[in-house]
Amino acid sequence: MIATKSFVNSVENPEQNVNNRIDDEKRKNIIRNRHIVKCVSKAILFCGRQCIAPLGDNEVLNEDSRGNTGNFLAALQMIANHDDILKQHLDNIQLSSSNITYMSPLIENEIIEIIGQDMILKNLLEEIKAAKLYSIMADEVTNHNKEQLALGARFIDKNNDVREDFIAFIHLPRITGEVIGETIVSTLQGLGLEIVNVRGQGYDGAANMSSDNVGVQRRIRERSPKAVYVHCSGHCPSLVISHSCALPQFRNVIDKLKRCYLYFLGSPTREGLLQSIITKAIPKASSRKGLIDMCRTRWAARHTAYTYFYQAYPYVIAALKNISCGANHEMCGDEYQDAAWDRKSKDDAVALLASLATFDFLVSLLVLYEFLCHLSGVTVKLQGQSIDIIKAYQEIAGVKRTYNERASKMDEEFAHVYKQGWQLGKEVGHRVVVKSFAGATTSDMSHYVKPTLDKKPDQIILHAGTNDLGKLSPSEIADNIVDLAREIESSTDAQVIISELVTRSDLSDSGDVDAVNKRLRKFCNQRQWHFILHDDIHSTDLNRGGLHLGETDLSVLAPGLLCLVQSMLCDRTGPDLPNADEIINTYKGDPPSPEFLRQELLRFQIRYSLKPKEDRPNTAAKALKECNDDLFPNIYALLKICATIPATSCEYEEVRVL
């Protein structure tokens, strides 16, 4: 009878069955453990997204433990404050020596591997494969005596948005073009990406990456001929600046600035003195540093350091005078009124003061500062992920136009710089006197200069000889100027600076001027005199040393590919339309029906010529968004290639493995 009742009860109430009760407890335990693993994964994701180290110096959950438990455990404890199941789990760990914690380094690494490889990378590779065409960007770096390569991909996703995503870190046994190229190819093949679908490559200008004979770009193009190589647009302006700053005047300025930065930033006391002078003069600037260090890798990024120095120049001079001879006490903060400086600090201050407090330094600094400002903004834009080759071209073309415009008005520009230098020098006690003698020849100047020499100036800039043109030969004019400079040098301690001749508007032939300047430059090099050039900054400087910013850089692309963007296409008519045959030959196999490309171009142009100019897309990314792939399938395919080609690889310079 009892057995019968037990049977009936088990049928009517199966949840009371012993086996079922055991299974139910097991199921609850599984759900509980999954919940804990989910919380652990959230904490790991939090550390990853915030780019913070998960481990601390004491990985023990104990109230009596000392030290930092690390970001991972701290995040778990934060989650536990709002999660009863996790809180109970953490409390049990502290009360017992349970081995099942799900928080060991092995479990953490396993979860990181699953998230990175089986989820993030897997989804990313599926998106790249769906896009089919993609570009690669890479940058190699030495880190902890290991050569590593950061590899990324640029592609168009299903929403027609331009994407740039990191793919992998690769260990490099060597950094030759052959090894890096083969490593990239094997990595792409291992990830299941077709190398023939690569349409662009973005690297820096190092020979192992950019060489057309032995570089990585050549190795990739051997397997994918359509993979256009683009020299990182973020590097190009830096290289242009580097070449421009190789001129002796600017190189000397940069060396002096470095010494000044090291002098103040290398001593908390000296830096504090400078900061106290700035704070006392400008109370609102108390939170701003007087000087910042110069960037050691990117020349364009130094413009911020130049800005700080330019704005702090009067206070830098005041601080140096205070350290060297005790002057300007009224400008210093109270804590520095009776400061005592050691002999080395005084000697270094005297040397710096002598080099910074010259008109030659001021003028060169202002030329460097003002003319490089045009590149400071564009270099930031060129480092963005979303920028495409069209936008990069437009930005650089705008800078080129600016420099060409400034070069055409060089006299006006130099007069502005000269006036600024005079005003800045006046603030720190300099006095610049300009004397002109209309119609005077070089021989006349030997008499006119004597009253000036009696006043014992620090520097004398000679700008003479123009009135001798047409009367004397170039060699005679140059010799007379040199003789005058020698006479000044022998009778005074003033520094002699010679200014080159400028072509007169009333003289049709500038050959004599060039001959005089060439001879003067030779004399100045021999005598170690400064020689002021009036064409220091010229539009051709942007292409010095083989650096082609603009059309030449883009000549590697199929002619006309850039003109598919509506704003450019609508400005062309008839024979100026992009050459459809040439585009098709370059990107054979990419457009679905290339025989209709020219007709599509005509329809595409007519469609957007009816729109106002301000409504026409001006970048490949915007053009792709508006292009209907059903109406214009060939143009759509080519715009995807154009938007896929990278403009910069700067993002991958910042990537490091610790």
Side-chain angles (χ1 to χ4, degrees):
M1 192 68 180
I2 295 175
T4 304
K5 287 183 178 180
S6 297
F7 175 75
V8 172
N9 186 49
S10 64
V11 172
E12 293 178 349
N13 303 290
E15 67 278 1
Q16 300 296 326
N17 187 283
V18 174
N19 292 333
N20 289 340
R21 291 180 68 178
I22 293 174
D23 292 340
D24 185 58
E25 190 64 29
K26 185 185 295 184
R27 188 163 46 252
K28 289 179 181 179
N29 196 36
I30 290 172
I31 294 172
R32 176 179 172 278
N33 290 341
R34 285 179 176 176
H35 181 81
I36 293 169
V37 171
K38 186 177 180 181
C39 293
V40 170
S41 301
K42 285 182 179 180
I44 292 174
L45 275 175
F46 171 78
C47 294
R49 284 173 176 165
Q50 298 304 116
C51 296
I52 54 179
L55 303 181
D57 53 22
N58 185 10
E59 293 288 308
V60 178
L61 280 175
N62 193 316
E63 293 180 357
D64 298 330
S65 62
R66 297 181 180 180
N68 181 13
T69 58
N71 295 309
F72 168 65
L73 292 181
L76 272 181
Q77 289 173 319
M78 179 67 72
I79 296 173
N81 291 334
H82 309 279
D83 190 302
D84 293 336
I85 297 177
L86 180 62
K87 182 174 177 57
Q88 183 183 3
H89 176 70
L90 296 182
D91 290 341
N92 290 338
I93 293 174
Q94 295 181 35
L95 294 174
S96 64
S97 57
S98 174
N99 292 326
I100 307 174
T101 65
Y102 301 107
M103 292 184 294
S104 68
L106 181 64
I107 297 296
E108 288 181 46
N109 290 334
E110 227 177 279
I111 293 174
I112 291 172
E113 185 74 15
I114 292 171
I115 293 173
Q117 297 294 324
D118 299 342
M119 297 173 67
I120 297 176
L121 184 59
K122 182 181 177 182
N123 293 336
L124 175 60
L125 292 176
E126 288 177 355
E127 289 187 273
I128 296 175
K129 291 173 184 177
K132 187 178 179 181
L133 305 180
Y134 64 98
S135 293
I136 56 175
M137 293 155 292
D139 189 67
E140 55 88 14
V141 63
T142 302
N143 193 35
H144 298 295
N145 292 327
K146 295 180 181 179
E147 296 291 347
Q148 295 172 327
L149 187 78
L151 182 65
R154 180 183 174 102
F155 62 97
I156 309 299
D157 64 16
K158 61 182 180 182
N159 297 320
N160 284 339
D161 291 323
V162 179
R163 292 264 302 277
E164 281 188 13
D165 286 288
F166 168 75
I167 293 179
F169 276 117
I170 310 169
H171 172 68
L172 296 174
R174 296 173 62 196
I175 56 172
T176 63
E178 180 181 5
V179 172
I180 297 176
E182 292 300 326
T183 303
I184 291 176
V185 171
S186 62
T187 300
L188 293 177
Q189 290 174 343
L191 294 172
L193 298 176
E194 295 287 343
I195 190 69
V196 294
N197 291 333
V198 176
R199 290 296 178 270
Q201 311 175 63
Y203 319 120
D204 59 24
N208 61 345
M209 307 298 286
S210 63
S211 173
D212 196 39
N213 297 319
V214 296
V216 173
Q217 64 110 348
R218 174 62 181 270
R219 307 278 177 184
I220 300 298
R221 293 188 72 173
E222 287 175 354
R223 293 172 171 81
S224 181
K226 302 174 188 176
V228 173
Y229 165 63
V230 178
H231 185 178
C232 173
S233 60
H235 281 80
C236 290
S238 294
L239 293 174
V240 171
I241 298 170
S242 177
H243 279 261
S244 300
C245 292
L247 293 170
Q249 296 94 327
F250 300 138
R251 189 172 63 245
N252 293 338
V253 167
I254 292 171
D255 289 341
K256 292 172 183 177
L257 288 176
K258 287 180 180 177
R259 291 200 299 270
C260 182
Y261 294 146
L262 289 174
Y263 180 76
F264 282 103
L265 301 182
S267 166
T269 308
R270 293 193 290 263
E271 185 181 11
L273 170 66
L274 176 60
Q275 192 66 47
S276 73
I277 293 175
I278 295 175
T279 303
K280 194 168 183 179
I282 314 172
K284 293 182 180 180
S286 58
S287 61
R288 174 171 175 166
K289 294 185 67 175
L291 298 175
I292 60 173
D293 199 5
M294 296 172 67
C295 179
R296 291 171 174 77
T297 54
R298 296 183 183 174
W299 284 81
R302 296 186 177 188
H303 190 265
T304 304
Y306 298 152
T307 301
Y308 273 70
F309 183 85
Y310 172 77
Q311 295 175 349
Y313 178 73
Y315 312 114
V316 169
I317 298 299
L320 290 173
K321 288 182 177 179
N322 178 267
I323 295 172
S324 61
C325 60
N328 302 318
H329 277 293
E330 70 284 354
M331 298 180 66
C332 304
D334 295 338
E335 65 273 29
Y336 295 98
Q337 290 290 336
D338 300 319
W341 304 99
D342 59 85
R343 174 53 56 186
K344 189 176 186 311
S345 293
K346 290 184 177 181
D347 292 343
D348 291 344
V350 170
L352 272 175
L353 195 59
S355 62
L356 299 181
T358 64
F359 192 66
D360 180 38
F361 169 81
L362 278 178
V363 171
S364 299
L365 171 66
L366 288 169
V367 170
L368 184 70
Y369 177 57
E370 291 212 356
F371 280 84
L372 295 190
C373 73
H374 301 300
L375 284 170
S376 62
V378 73
T379 51
V380 176
K381 288 188 175 182
L382 292 177
Q383 294 173 24
Q385 287 187 4
S386 60
I387 192 168
D388 56 49
I389 199 71
I390 301 290
K391 188 63 176 175
Y393 168 79
Q394 293 171 347
E395 295 290 349
I396 294 174
V399 174
K400 286 185 66 177
R401 286 193 297 270
T402 301
Y403 277 123
N404 286 332
E405 176 68 20
R406 296 301 90 199
S408 66
K409 300 178 180 179
M410 189 52 63
D411 290 341
E412 177 184 332
E413 289 297 319
F414 187 77
H416 171 70
V417 169
Y418 189 92
K419 184 178 179 181
Q420 270 193 303
W422 178 80
Q423 291 175 339
L424 197 58
K426 188 177 179 181
E427 290 183 29
V428 296
H430 296 175
R431 185 166 177 262
V432 179
V433 178
V434 180
K435 292 185 178 181
S436 60
F437 305 94
T441 63
T442 308
S443 59
D444 295 333
M445 290 298 297
S446 62
H447 301 287
Y448 292 140
V449 78
K450 287 181 180 179
T452 301
L453 297 180
D454 293 338
K455 296 180 180 180
K456 298 181 179 181
D458 294 325
Q459 290 180 329
I460 291 182
I461 300 176
L462 281 179
H463 183 73
T466 308
N467 291 322
D468 291 323
L469 292 170
K471 302 174 184 177
L472 301 176
S473 67
S475 60
E476 289 176 322
I477 297 173
D479 290 342
N480 289 343
I481 295 173
V482 171
D483 290 341
L484 176 60
R486 285 173 175 165
E487 181 182 343
I488 294 172
E489 192 177 49
S490 63
S491 58
T492 182
D493 293 331
Q495 180 186 22
V496 178
I497 301 171
I498 294 180
S499 169
E500 74 169 359
L501 272 65
V502 179
T503 303
R504 291 174 55 138
S505 59
D506 57 349
L507 294 176
S508 57
D509 184 15
S510 62
D512 288 349
V513 173
D514 294 337
V516 172
N517 290 334
K518 184 177 180 180
R519 195 171 179 85
L520 286 175
R521 189 180 293 109
K522 180 181 178 181
F523 277 121
C524 288
N525 289 336
Q526 292 173 351
R527 305 277 303 183
Q528 297 297 311
W529 289 338
H530 289 290
F531 187 64
I532 296 178
L533 301 174
H534 295 302
D535 58 350
D536 284 340
I537 302 206
H538 193 269
S539 59
T540 56
D541 285 346
L542 289 175
N543 293 318
R544 184 179 295 171
L547 299 177
H548 305 291
L549 301 180
E551 297 89 348
T552 311
D553 256 354
L554 301 177
S555 63
V556 295
L557 299 175
L561 185 59
L562 302 181
C563 299
L564 295 175
V565 176
Q566 293 90 321
S567 61
M568 297 185 182
L569 181 64
C570 292
D571 292 335
R572 294 174 172 248
T573 57
D576 289 333
L577 279 175
N579 191 324
D581 294 335
E582 200 160 358
I583 296 175
I584 291 169
N585 289 335
T586 303
Y587 293 101
K588 188 176 181 180
D590 290 333
S593 49
E595 64 274 11
F596 299 131
L597 178 58
R598 179 162 181 80
Q599 301 304 321
E600 277 190 27
L601 286 171
L602 292 171
R603 281 191 289 116
F604 202 57
Q605 185 188 48
I606 293 171
R607 181 187 184 97
Y608 281 93
S609 62
L610 300 175
K611 289 189 174 185
K613 285 188 175 182
E614 58 272 15
D615 293 339
R616 299 171 188 168
N618 57 1
T619 67
K622 292 179 181 178
L624 183 63
K625 280 280 191 181
E626 290 199 13
C627 183
N628 189 304
D629 59 336
D630 293 324
L631 296 176
F632 306 102
N634 297 294
I635 293 177
Y636 179 80
L638 293 170
L639 281 174
K640 282 188 70 174
I641 296 173
C642 192
T644 299
I645 294 172
T648 177
S649 60
C650 289
E651 286 288 323
Y652 299 92
E653 290 183 3
E654 303 299 327
V655 181
R656 300 287 188 272
V657 174
L658 299 178

